[in-house]
Amino acid sequence: MDVKGKKAIVFGGTSGIGLATTRQLAALGASVVAVSRDPGKAGAPPAGVTLAKCDVLDRAALEALFKQHAPFDILISAATGGKRAMGPFLAMDMDGYRASFDKLWGYANVVRFGTNHLSKDGAIVIVSGAPARKCKPGQVSLSSVGASVEALVRAVAPEIAPRRINVVSPGTIDTPILAAQGAEREALYKNITARHLIPRAGTAEEVAQAIVFLVQNDFVTGTTIDVDGGWILS
Ligand SMILES: NC(=O)c1ccc[n+]([C@@H]2O[C@H](COP(=O)([O-])OP(=O)(O)OC[C@H]3O[C@@H](n4cnc5c(N)ncnc54)[C@H](OP(=O)(O)O)[C@@H]3O)[C@@H](O)[C@H]2O)c1
């Protein structure tokens, strides 16, 4: 797909990976609607980008947003959906574990209600995470949610063809998802990536490049691209 002149909706498009994707699509000439619960935090949008407020867990609001902006060609979601429960499974807060699946439900809502308004040669990309296939201790919720996101894409791809759907699986990426700042942040990234083949945190731009590739390449559907510095081989 030539992105120039196309219309894109990017959920989670106001921070981190989604924001970098919004910027790259806009730079390639797409008109982009960047969506989140509190879009004002992105500051003034770049040329070609408009901001919209919507919670991916609110199905009625999502349907209204899609109707307002239909038809569109590119549908991305990098919205985290809610909070993640971390830590060893035998000490797991089970309500927190269940709530971690808000990421899956948010993506599922976007795909379920957005695909009806997507052009026939349109493309969808959503975001899982390296723990889906290489889980480190304490990441059971990330692993099970990420694996279900990848399974959703493989299951849905045949049903919505010729429209395409794919996943990008990031490793450790330097975005606002991590609250720690300064030296504490640097030390955390250094520690958690020390055994990776490329021992550093990735950037949101590096992940967005893979998302844009999956939009542009018309021969790829139902699959996952890892952008993880070699996490799953480490
Ligand atoms: N960063 C990493 O190391 C990493 C690693 C593996 C996977 N991932 C995955 O990559 C995706 C993007 O992560 P990120 O690091 O870019 O996170 P981020 O910087 O925290 O951005 C998350 C975005 O999602 C939006 N959002 C969250 N819940 C939402 C909801 N219910 N409805 C609508 N928008 C919502 C947020 O905006 P509002 O708060 O305004 O709604 C924000 O724009 C996530 O799925 C994350 O799990 C990240």
Side-chain angles (χ1 to χ4, degrees):
M1 179 195 300
D2 181 358
V3 167
K4 193 171 171 65
K6 297 293 195 302
K7 185 166 183 183
I9 304 185
V10 181
F11 291 90
T14 61
S15 178
I17 292 166
L19 177 59
T21 305
T22 291
R23 287 189 177 130
Q24 289 184 21
L25 289 172
L28 288 167
S31 65
V32 185
V33 184
V35 190
S36 78
R37 295 165 301 183
D38 180 15
K41 71 182 174 196
V49 178
T50 54
L51 301 177
K53 183 180 166 76
C54 186
D55 186 330
V56 290
L57 300 176
D58 183 340
R59 295 198 292 264
L62 257 184
E63 286 197 83
L65 180 99
F66 285 138
K67 276 193 190 131
Q68 184 191 341
H69 292 286
F72 39 86
D73 312 285
I74 300 164
L75 183 56
I76 312 288
S77 187
T80 39
K83 292 200 173 107
R84 301 101 45 86
M86 304 290 285
F89 194 62
L90 295 190
M92 183 65 78
D93 160 14
M94 295 308 276
D95 290 330
Y97 182 59
R98 180 186 275 257
S100 304
F101 280 83
D102 281 347
K103 172 165 157 169
L104 172 70
W105 304 133
Y107 288 162
N109 287 339
V110 165
V111 175
R112 165 69 179 82
F113 298 107
T115 307
N116 292 330
H117 303 289
L118 193 68
S119 56
K120 282 281 174 263
D121 59 350
I124 304 170
V125 184
I126 59 179
V127 180
S128 59
R133 275 164 291 121
K134 177 77 181 280
C135 184
K136 297 180 184 179
Q139 295 183 334
V140 171
S141 70
L142 299 186
S143 182
S144 24
V145 172
S148 66
V149 169
E150 294 179 5
L152 172 74
V153 162
R154 283 192 300 273
V156 167
E159 293 194 10
I160 67 167
R163 290 161 294 207
R164 298 180 298 105
I165 180 166
N166 290 289
V167 193
V168 169
S169 176
T172 302
I173 309 299
D174 186 353
T175 75
I177 204 170
L178 181 70
Q181 295 297 328
E184 187 196 354
R185 185 181 184 90
E186 271 176 41
L188 262 168
Y189 281 140
K190 196 172 173 196
N191 286 341
I192 51 185
T193 63
R195 298 171 72 89
H196 295 175
L197 306 188
I198 301 170
R200 64 169 173 86
T203 65
E205 289 70 27
E206 287 169 324
V207 182
Q209 278 176 2
I211 294 175
V212 171
F213 164 80
L214 287 169
V215 169
Q216 291 172 318
N217 191 309
D218 293 320
F219 201 53
V220 186
T221 193
T223 196
T224 303
I225 291 186
D226 296 304
V227 183
D228 66 357
W231 169 330
I232 62 171
L233 293 180
S234 65

